Amino acid sequence: YDVVLEDGTRVWLNADSRLKYPVVFPGNERRVILEGEAYFEVAKDTNRPFWVETGVQSLRVLGTAFNVYAYPDEADIYTTLVHGSVAVSVEKQGNEQILVPGEQAVCHVDRGNFTVKKVDVQQNLEQIMLKLARWYNVMVFFQNEGAKAIEFKGNLPKYSNFKSILQVIEKSSNVKFDVQGQTVVVSI
């Protein structure tokens, strides 16, 4: 699902995800609660910080694009920064750490702490489709060589529905997919 909040922030929700947010953000902050996975493009507003709560983890956002993977039945919460900056904190650890683009914070829910590691947030479509082919046991054919080189930013989580990820790629680019059984034809 693609949601636009009242401040202009865009949020793409993955399957089985919930986002709690007010119709209008009250006061001097913008706060949402996420359960599941979402990709955020936060509208910059220096007077009203944007917060994402995911149970034990809090993210203070400073006008940015990032992905959060926080399903309640999973042991870890993943926050991957594409551009801008976010400050990550957890209840037990107390301190907050600012991520830079290309970093991922892994919040260990049971231990109440987090670690930060470098990740590759930029992939071309050929790399993405190779992963999808492996995950979903499909054959991928490119009609246009140029389509292979199209770059995307963000992480690539495994969706419960194969067509969901294809829809996300189509919405964020000029790529088109033709799916016939276990065969996917990619074109631009």
Side-chain angles (χ1 to χ4, degrees):
Y1 299 97
D2 182 1
V3 179
V4 179
L5 306 181
E6 64 94 5
D7 65 337
T9 293
R10 293 191 71 184
V11 184
W12 287 265
L13 292 167
N14 198 348
D16 197 28
S17 298
R18 291 170 190 76
L19 183 70
K20 292 182 184 176
Y21 60 94
V23 174
V24 176
F25 290 110
N28 59 357
E29 70 177 16
R30 300 168 290 165
R31 190 174 294 267
V32 299
I33 300 170
L34 173 67
E35 184 179 291
E37 181 178 20
Y39 179 79
F40 290 81
E41 284 184 359
V42 177
K44 197 164 183 110
D45 183 345
T46 52
N47 296 323
R48 296 187 303 164
F50 194 95
W51 291 86
V52 179
E53 303 287 344
T54 57
V56 300
Q57 177 184 266
S58 297
L59 299 173
R60 184 169 54 90
V61 182
L62 311 163
T64 189
F66 61 97
N67 191 84
V68 179
Y69 182 91
Y71 286 97
D73 57 343
E74 302 252 349
D76 296 321
I77 298 170
Y78 298 89
T79 303
T80 308
L81 182 62
V82 177
H83 62 79
S85 63
V86 294
V88 181
S89 61
V90 293
E91 292 170 353
K92 287 183 185 173
Q93 205 165 357
N95 65 326
E96 102 178 348
Q97 182 167 342
I98 295 178
L99 299 184
V100 298
E103 285 186 336
Q104 180 180 75
V106 182
C107 174
H108 312 288
V109 176
D110 290 344
R111 292 184 298 215
N113 67 351
F114 66 89
T115 55
V116 175
K117 64 181 181 177
K118 287 274 187 200
V119 292
D120 183 9
V121 297
Q122 191 157 319
Q123 304 175 70
N124 66 35
L125 188 57
E126 184 176 28
Q127 293 167 323
I128 291 169
M129 296 311 294
L130 282 171
K131 281 186 185 177
L132 294 178
R134 206 170 38 247
W135 289 350
Y136 296 101
N137 194 27
V138 295
M139 301 233 350
V140 177
F141 297 96
F142 285 86
Q143 275 191 337
N144 318 78
E145 280 296 309
K148 292 181 178 181
I150 296 172
E151 292 191 337
F152 292 86
K153 291 186 176 187
N155 70 344
L156 185 64
K158 191 170 183 180
Y159 286 59
S160 57
N161 181 333
F162 174 61
K163 291 192 177 179
S164 295
I165 195 163
L166 297 183
Q167 289 171 348
V168 169
I169 293 170
E170 283 183 335
K171 285 180 183 177
S172 62
S173 68
N174 61 343
V175 174
K176 297 289 176 232
F177 298 103
D178 181 24
V179 181
Q180 301 295 328
Q182 295 299 108
T183 304
V184 180
V185 178
V186 184
S187 62
I188 51 175

